[in-house]
Amino acid sequence: MASTERQRKEAGLRRLALVGFGVLLVLLFVGIAIAEGLGDPDIPSGAVAIVEDAPEGTGTITQEQFDRAFVQAAAAAQIKPVPKPGSEQYDGVKETALGELFDAIWLQGQAAEMGYTASPGEVAAELKKLKAQSFQSEKEYNEFLKEAHYNKADVLKRVKIQILSKKIQEQIQGDAPEPSSGEIEDFYEETKSTQYTTPESRDIRIVVNKDKSKVEAAKAALVKEDSVENWEKVAKKYSSDPATKNKGGLQSGLSEGGVAEPLNGAVFAAKQGDLEGPLKESRGFVIFEVVKIAPEKVQSLEEADSAIESQLSEQMAQQDFARFLRNYNGTWGSRTFCAPEYTIERCANFKGDGRSPEANPACYEANPEEPAEACPAPVLQVKPAMPGSVSVLTPEGEQLAQRPVPIEAEAAAPEGLELPPGVEAAPEGN
């Protein structure tokens, strides 16, 4: 098969197999666990998982449905042959297959609770559009279905879920709050010096040379005639700086701190038009003249208002979406229960080993070599915002995990500040 045809088919696979909203949910999913033995429902015979309170006819994932999703997940990952239980790739494909099945149920359930449906007409129109975008002919589309192990019902279901997920996203985006004039002004004041202020800049002409006598000869020549034409001659003759010697020594748009000391301080202390130096610096000796000063420019609130409003609106929409995801995952994760051999992190009855997948394995050794601060806490911790750290720029604040008070922190506490009753400082070194 030609490369372009293969790319079109892979694009089709991505479009038809993708549950766009569901993918975000998987990425942002936080595993939810419940206490052992507290009301876990029984998984019916012939089923691998159930989702409580799902729309009628969708809440049970049968072995047949899982087997079909497993083959499709392997095809999407281009894994051949389909992995067997116990093989290296089996668990990854199993998790992908279950995730897609959960996404389908969760999204349909969420859409139903929000009052959204996808009519047969909507599904047919969306499928027609996707086919036109991804395939050049009906034959190519049918070849794709065969390779992906999809039938017509699979495709219609995926397109339906895609429509529902889009409607959910649109409502979330539509419900996102807009920044007030006060929030816009606060943001402007907090960021004015960094985002809306153009610092003073200076254009200079310089001659650089390790030989001080040559720099002094250049200065003597420029004292006699301080013109652009003479700078061009003098810099070409005496300067060893390749960046400026053929440009009359011109170095444009210097902001304070843009060159090394002591040249930086001398340049920003000099008056325009004065020939300064020789000055000793890392490259040798320098003479310079400030030929132009562009003063600091501050963009007004009125000028910045529109850009700030757009930035804050996007930021608020992202925060609103993140809050929705947390609630969504918490709700539907707590309703999802899996048979023992099919239990993954997205199942409410998942029982992890308490080990963070991001942590160095050495953290869990009897005498870990990793420093304590590099290892995660043995239990999940609440991360409140540090007092005074919440602002328009950082609405979540600076979040630090709660932990025992180090003994050195207690010693450094302001006079009169005592630890709460029953709270002891951690031993030194913890």
Side-chain angles (χ1 to χ4, degrees):
M1 182 180 296
S3 175
T4 54
E5 291 181 0
R6 183 66 186 174
Q7 290 171 353
R8 283 196 297 271
K9 287 191 176 183
E10 289 177 353
L13 180 59
R14 287 194 297 272
R15 288 191 175 98
L16 292 175
L18 173 66
V19 181
F21 189 49
V23 169
L24 286 175
L25 300 176
V26 173
L27 292 175
L28 294 173
F29 180 77
V30 177
I32 299 169
I34 61 173
E36 292 187 33
L38 295 183
D40 290 7
D42 293 330
I43 309 299
S45 176
V48 303
I50 62 170
V51 181
E52 295 182 326
D53 299 327
E56 186 176 355
T58 67
T60 300
I61 299 174
T62 66
Q63 184 70 55
E64 182 181 357
Q65 289 173 321
F66 170 78
D67 291 343
R68 185 169 186 79
F70 188 90
V71 171
Q72 292 169 349
Q78 298 183 355
I79 297 174
K80 293 181 181 180
V82 176
K84 301 292 184 183
S87 66
E88 184 178 350
Q89 296 174 309
Y90 177 81
D91 285 344
V93 176
K94 179 183 75 173
E95 188 162 342
T96 299
L98 285 168
E100 295 232 355
L101 291 167
F102 292 161
D103 286 336
I105 298 172
W106 291 13
L107 284 165
Q108 288 180 90
Q110 185 67 35
E113 292 185 3
M114 295 173 71
Y116 291 122
T117 60
S119 69
E122 288 179 290
V123 173
E126 182 68 13
L127 177 57
K128 182 178 179 180
K129 182 175 73 174
L130 290 171
K131 288 170 67 174
Q133 291 173 345
S134 304
F135 306 100
Q136 292 189 333
S137 67
E138 191 70 17
K139 179 182 178 182
E140 188 176 308
Y141 170 65
N142 288 327
E143 287 176 353
F144 154 73
L145 294 183
K146 184 178 179 180
E147 287 186 12
H149 299 275
Y150 291 168
N151 59 26
K152 184 177 180 180
D154 293 327
V155 172
L156 292 176
K157 182 178 180 179
R158 288 177 179 275
V159 174
K160 175 185 176 181
I161 294 167
Q162 191 82 348
I163 292 170
L164 293 175
S165 70
K166 183 178 179 181
K167 289 182 178 181
I168 293 171
Q169 289 182 80
E170 287 174 347
Q171 176 169 322
I172 298 169
Q173 292 168 353
D175 290 344
E178 291 296 321
S180 66
S181 57
E183 288 171 325
I184 292 173
E185 185 174 352
D186 288 345
F187 183 90
Y188 172 77
E189 291 299 332
E190 287 192 45
T191 60
K192 179 166 63 175
S193 62
T194 56
Q195 294 191 32
Y196 304 102
T197 299
T198 303
E200 175 189 314
S201 66
R202 297 188 169 205
D203 295 352
I204 64 172
R205 292 187 184 275
I206 62 172
V207 171
V208 182
N209 202 298
K210 291 183 178 180
D211 187 336
K212 186 177 181 181
S213 63
K214 290 184 178 180
V215 173
E216 290 174 336
K219 183 174 182 179
L222 291 166
V223 167
K224 292 180 180 178
E225 183 186 343
D226 190 358
S227 65
V228 173
E229 293 78 10
N230 199 35
W231 265 101
E232 289 175 350
K233 295 176 184 177
V234 169
K236 192 170 186 179
K237 180 177 180 180
Y238 293 107
S239 185
S240 59
D241 179 25
T244 61
K245 68 176 298 178
N246 294 317
K247 298 191 299 183
L250 184 64
Q251 195 167 351
S252 302
L254 287 180
S255 296
E256 191 157 8
V259 291
E261 297 292 356
L263 181 59
N264 177 77
V267 166
F268 282 88
K271 295 180 180 179
Q272 184 171 336
D274 288 352
L275 188 60
E276 304 285 349
L279 177 71
K280 181 73 170 69
E281 54 117 60
S282 59
R283 295 172 293 175
F285 295 88
V286 178
I287 58 169
F288 70 90
E289 179 182 333
V290 177
V291 294
K292 180 181 178 182
I293 300 176
E296 177 183 272
K297 181 180 179 182
V298 180
Q299 191 175 1
S300 70
L301 175 59
E302 290 71 23
E303 293 171 320
D305 183 90
S306 178
I308 294 174
E309 183 177 9
S310 296
Q311 185 174 344
L312 288 181
S313 293
E314 182 178 351
Q315 180 177 298
M316 289 178 170
Q318 290 173 348
Q319 293 163 2
D320 211 45
F321 186 60
R323 282 191 291 270
F324 173 85
L325 289 178
R326 288 193 292 269
N327 293 333
Y328 171 93
N329 283 310
T331 297
W332 289 100
S334 68
R335 298 173 180 177
T336 302
F337 298 86
C338 306
E341 60 270 34
Y342 297 98
T343 302
I344 62 173
E345 192 173 0
R346 296 180 70 180
C347 307
N349 55 328
F350 171 81
K351 299 173 182 66
D353 59 9
R355 298 186 175 188
S356 169
E358 289 80 25
N360 189 316
C363 291
Y364 303 102
E365 296 174 356
N367 296 296
E369 296 180 1
E370 287 292 302
E373 60 270 19
C375 295
V379 294
L380 294 178
Q381 299 181 349
V382 177
K383 292 187 177 181
M386 293 289 290
S389 67
V390 176
S391 69
V392 179
L393 285 177
T394 56
E396 300 289 338
E398 181 184 354
Q399 295 182 310
L400 297 177
Q402 297 187 66
R403 59 192 306 160
V405 180
I407 195 166
E408 61 270 19
E410 182 186 19
E415 185 177 352
L417 180 64
E418 297 181 357
L419 296 176
V423 177
E424 296 180 359
E428 191 168 3
N430 281 9

